[in-house]
Short mmCIF file of all heavy atoms in Angstrom, two decimals:
data_model
loop_
_atom_site.label_atom_id
_atom_site.label_comp_id
_atom_site.label_asym_id
_atom_site.label_seq_id
_atom_site.Cartn_x
_atom_site.Cartn_y
_atom_site.Cartn_z
N ALA D 29 82.72 124.47 91.37
CA ALA D 29 81.43 124.56 90.67
C ALA D 29 81.50 125.42 89.41
O ALA D 29 80.79 125.16 88.45
CB ALA D 29 80.37 125.12 91.62
N THR D 30 82.37 126.45 89.42
CA THR D 30 82.39 127.37 88.28
C THR D 30 83.81 127.47 87.70
O THR D 30 84.79 127.11 88.36
CB THR D 30 81.95 128.79 88.70
OG1 THR D 30 82.94 129.33 89.58
CG2 THR D 30 80.59 128.76 89.40
N LEU D 31 83.88 127.99 86.50
CA LEU D 31 85.17 128.19 85.84
C LEU D 31 86.03 129.18 86.62
O LEU D 31 87.23 128.96 86.81
CB LEU D 31 84.96 128.68 84.40
CG LEU D 31 86.20 128.80 83.54
CD1 LEU D 31 86.91 127.46 83.41
CD2 LEU D 31 85.84 129.34 82.16
N GLU D 32 85.42 130.24 87.11
CA GLU D 32 86.15 131.24 87.90
C GLU D 32 86.73 130.61 89.16
O GLU D 32 87.89 130.84 89.51
CB GLU D 32 85.22 132.40 88.26
CG GLU D 32 85.92 133.53 88.98
CD GLU D 32 84.98 134.70 89.27
OE1 GLU D 32 84.21 135.08 88.37
OE2 GLU D 32 85.04 135.20 90.40
N GLU D 33 85.94 129.80 89.85
CA GLU D 33 86.42 129.10 91.04
C GLU D 33 87.54 128.13 90.68
O GLU D 33 88.49 127.97 91.44
CB GLU D 33 85.28 128.35 91.72
CG GLU D 33 84.27 129.24 92.40
CD GLU D 33 83.06 128.45 92.91
OE1 GLU D 33 82.90 127.26 92.54
OE2 GLU D 33 82.27 129.04 93.66
N SER D 34 87.42 127.50 89.53
CA SER D 34 88.44 126.56 89.07
C SER D 34 89.79 127.26 88.88
O SER D 34 90.82 126.75 89.30
CB SER D 34 87.99 125.90 87.77
OG SER D 34 89.00 125.05 87.28
N PHE D 35 89.78 128.42 88.24
CA PHE D 35 91.02 129.17 88.05
C PHE D 35 91.63 129.57 89.39
O PHE D 35 92.84 129.47 89.59
CB PHE D 35 90.79 130.41 87.18
CG PHE D 35 90.58 130.10 85.72
CD1 PHE D 35 89.62 130.77 84.99
CD2 PHE D 35 91.33 129.13 85.07
CE1 PHE D 35 89.41 130.50 83.64
CE2 PHE D 35 91.14 128.84 83.72
CZ PHE D 35 90.18 129.52 83.01
N ALA D 36 90.81 130.03 90.31
CA ALA D 36 91.28 130.42 91.63
C ALA D 36 91.86 129.22 92.37
O ALA D 36 92.90 129.31 93.02
CB ALA D 36 90.15 131.06 92.44
N GLU D 37 91.19 128.08 92.27
CA GLU D 37 91.66 126.85 92.93
C GLU D 37 92.98 126.39 92.33
O GLU D 37 93.90 125.98 93.04
CB GLU D 37 90.60 125.75 92.82
CG GLU D 37 91.04 124.40 93.33
CD GLU D 37 91.45 124.36 94.79
OE1 GLU D 37 91.18 125.32 95.56
OE2 GLU D 37 92.07 123.36 95.19
N GLN D 38 93.11 126.45 91.02
CA GLN D 38 94.37 126.06 90.37
C GLN D 38 95.51 126.98 90.79
O GLN D 38 96.63 126.53 91.03
CB GLN D 38 94.20 126.04 88.86
CG GLN D 38 93.35 124.89 88.39
CD GLN D 38 93.05 124.95 86.90
OE1 GLN D 38 93.75 125.60 86.13
NE2 GLN D 38 92.01 124.25 86.48
N ASP D 39 95.22 128.27 90.91
CA ASP D 39 96.23 129.23 91.34
C ASP D 39 96.66 128.95 92.78
O ASP D 39 97.84 128.96 93.11
CB ASP D 39 95.69 130.66 91.20
CG ASP D 39 96.74 131.71 91.45
OD1 ASP D 39 97.84 131.60 90.87
OD2 ASP D 39 96.47 132.65 92.23
N ARG D 40 95.69 128.69 93.65
CA ARG D 40 95.99 128.37 95.05
C ARG D 40 96.86 127.12 95.15
O ARG D 40 97.88 127.10 95.85
CB ARG D 40 94.68 128.15 95.84
CG ARG D 40 94.90 127.84 97.32
CD ARG D 40 93.81 126.96 97.92
NE ARG D 40 93.63 125.68 97.28
CZ ARG D 40 94.41 124.60 97.50
NH1 ARG D 40 95.44 124.66 98.31
NH2 ARG D 40 94.17 123.46 96.87
N ALA D 41 96.46 126.08 94.43
CA ALA D 41 97.20 124.81 94.46
C ALA D 41 98.62 124.98 93.92
O ALA D 41 99.57 124.42 94.47
CB ALA D 41 96.44 123.75 93.66
N LYS D 42 98.77 125.76 92.86
CA LYS D 42 100.09 126.00 92.27
C LYS D 42 101.02 126.68 93.28
O LYS D 42 102.19 126.32 93.42
CB LYS D 42 99.94 126.84 91.00
CG LYS D 42 101.22 127.16 90.30
CD LYS D 42 101.74 125.99 89.51
CE LYS D 42 102.80 126.44 88.56
NZ LYS D 42 102.72 125.81 87.29
N LYS D 43 100.52 127.68 94.00
CA LYS D 43 101.32 128.37 95.02
C LYS D 43 101.76 127.40 96.11
O LYS D 43 102.91 127.45 96.58
CB LYS D 43 100.54 129.54 95.61
CG LYS D 43 100.41 130.70 94.64
CD LYS D 43 99.54 131.81 95.21
CE LYS D 43 99.36 132.91 94.17
NZ LYS D 43 98.39 133.90 94.55
N GLU D 44 100.86 126.52 96.53
CA GLU D 44 101.20 125.52 97.55
C GLU D 44 102.24 124.53 97.01
O GLU D 44 103.15 124.12 97.74
CB GLU D 44 99.95 124.77 98.02
CG GLU D 44 99.01 125.62 98.84
CD GLU D 44 99.58 126.04 100.18
OE1 GLU D 44 100.41 125.32 100.75
OE2 GLU D 44 99.18 127.12 100.66
N LEU D 45 102.12 124.15 95.74
CA LEU D 45 103.08 123.23 95.13
C LEU D 45 104.46 123.87 95.06
O LEU D 45 105.46 123.22 95.35
CB LEU D 45 102.60 122.81 93.73
CG LEU D 45 103.54 121.88 92.95
CD1 LEU D 45 103.79 120.58 93.70
CD2 LEU D 45 102.96 121.60 91.56
N VAL D 46 104.54 125.13 94.71
CA VAL D 46 105.82 125.84 94.66
C VAL D 46 106.49 125.84 96.03
O VAL D 46 107.69 125.57 96.16
CB VAL D 46 105.64 127.27 94.11
CG1 VAL D 46 106.90 128.11 94.32
CG2 VAL D 46 105.26 127.24 92.64
N LYS D 47 105.71 126.10 97.09
CA LYS D 47 106.26 126.07 98.45
C LYS D 47 106.79 124.67 98.78
O LYS D 47 107.86 124.53 99.38
CB LYS D 47 105.21 126.50 99.47
CG LYS D 47 104.89 127.98 99.42
CD LYS D 47 104.12 128.49 100.64
CE LYS D 47 102.78 127.86 100.83
NZ LYS D 47 101.93 128.55 101.83
N PHE D 48 106.04 123.66 98.40
CA PHE D 48 106.45 122.27 98.65
C PHE D 48 107.75 121.95 97.91
O PHE D 48 108.67 121.37 98.48
CB PHE D 48 105.33 121.31 98.23
CG PHE D 48 105.69 119.87 98.42
CD1 PHE D 48 105.59 119.27 99.66
CD2 PHE D 48 106.13 119.11 97.34
CE1 PHE D 48 105.92 117.93 99.83
CE2 PHE D 48 106.46 117.77 97.51
CZ PHE D 48 106.36 117.19 98.76
N ILE D 49 107.82 122.30 96.63
CA ILE D 49 109.01 122.01 95.82
C ILE D 49 110.23 122.75 96.39
O ILE D 49 111.33 122.19 96.43
CB ILE D 49 108.78 122.36 94.33
CG1 ILE D 49 107.73 121.42 93.72
CG2 ILE D 49 110.09 122.31 93.54
CD1 ILE D 49 108.11 119.95 93.65
N ASP D 50 110.05 123.97 96.86
CA ASP D 50 111.16 124.71 97.48
C ASP D 50 111.69 123.97 98.70
O ASP D 50 112.91 123.85 98.88
CB ASP D 50 110.72 126.12 97.89
CG ASP D 50 110.55 127.06 96.70
OD1 ASP D 50 111.01 126.73 95.59
OD2 ASP D 50 109.92 128.12 96.88
N LYS D 51 110.80 123.44 99.54
CA LYS D 51 111.22 122.66 100.72
C LYS D 51 111.89 121.36 100.29
O LYS D 51 112.91 120.96 100.87
CB LYS D 51 110.03 122.36 101.63
CG LYS D 51 109.53 123.58 102.37
CD LYS D 51 108.33 123.25 103.24
CE LYS D 51 107.83 124.53 103.90
NZ LYS D 51 106.72 124.29 104.80
N LEU D 52 111.32 120.71 99.29
CA LEU D 52 111.89 119.46 98.79
C LEU D 52 113.29 119.70 98.24
O LEU D 52 114.21 118.91 98.49
CB LEU D 52 110.98 118.86 97.72
CG LEU D 52 111.43 117.56 97.08
CD1 LEU D 52 111.55 116.44 98.12
CD2 LEU D 52 110.43 117.15 95.98
N GLU D 53 113.47 120.78 97.52
CA GLU D 53 114.78 121.13 96.95
C GLU D 53 115.82 121.29 98.05
O GLU D 53 116.95 120.79 97.93
CB GLU D 53 114.63 122.42 96.15
CG GLU D 53 115.86 122.85 95.38
CD GLU D 53 115.60 124.08 94.54
OE1 GLU D 53 115.25 125.13 95.12
OE2 GLU D 53 115.75 123.98 93.31
N LYS D 54 115.45 121.95 99.15
CA LYS D 54 116.38 122.13 100.27
C LYS D 54 116.73 120.79 100.91
O LYS D 54 117.89 120.53 101.23
CB LYS D 54 115.78 123.08 101.30
CG LYS D 54 115.80 124.52 100.83
CD LYS D 54 115.20 125.46 101.87
CE LYS D 54 115.26 126.88 101.33
NZ LYS D 54 113.98 127.46 101.07
#
Side-chain angles (χ1 to χ4, degrees):
T30 68
L31 186 59
E32 184 177 316
E33 289 172 348
S34 177
F35 287 139
E37 174 60 13
Q38 289 174 20
D39 188 48
R40 182 210 58 80
K42 180 77 166 220
K43 288 175 184 171
E44 290 294 331
L45 178 59
V46 168
K47 288 195 298 192
F48 178 81
I49 293 295
D50 286 346
K51 288 179 183 182
L52 180 61
E53 186 176 61
K54 286 180 179 114

